[in-house]
Amino acid sequence: MLKLLVRDRAVYDEYGARLTDEHFRSASARKAVSALREAGGEASVVAAGDDEKLGALLSSLAVEPLDGEGGPDYALSVWSRLQEFVLKQQSDAMRMQ
């Protein structure tokens, strides 16, 4: 999903506000999404910012190949899959209580 957010502003506009830290396992991905939010979804602003490591991450994601065709249907399928993971984590946590 992060690749899609970085590449396509329409995807960011559609899904950016819905994403939470639970959707991302790595701290670097959570930091990237937070930085994208602060930049209003403008990946180029984050990439050109003071944090070189974060800028390099977003720059590499922008050119890394996608696992699918891209577009709205692909973004929806990635979003749906992320939601499945989040709901499974929540369900597992409830069972453990």
Side-chain angles (χ1 to χ4, degrees):
M1 180 56 87
L2 194 48
K3 287 182 200 179
L4 294 171
L5 295 174
V6 169
R7 291 171 183 235
D8 189 338
R9 179 57 193 254
V11 171
Y12 175 82
D13 290 342
E14 180 71 25
Y15 299 101
R18 298 188 218 178
L19 294 167
T20 67
D21 284 351
E22 289 181 294
H23 289 102
F24 301 96
R25 290 185 181 180
S26 75
S28 61
R30 290 189 294 272
K31 184 176 179 181
V33 171
S34 177
L36 273 173
R37 282 192 189 114
E38 289 175 18
E42 295 294 331
S44 60
V45 171
V46 178
D50 293 335
D51 189 334
E52 289 180 22
K53 197 172 183 180
L54 185 58
L57 171 64
L58 290 186
S59 295
S60 69
L61 288 171
V63 297
E64 204 172 288
L66 296 173
D67 294 330
E69 292 293 318
D73 291 338
Y74 179 67
L76 178 60
S77 71
V78 172
W79 166 252
S80 297
R81 188 76 175 131
L82 279 176
Q83 281 297 97
E84 284 179 40
F85 288 131
V86 168
L87 292 173
K88 176 147 179 22
Q89 285 176 326
Q90 291 172 349
S91 173
D92 291 346
M94 281 193 232
R95 275 190 237 137
M96 297 296 279
Q97 293 178 350

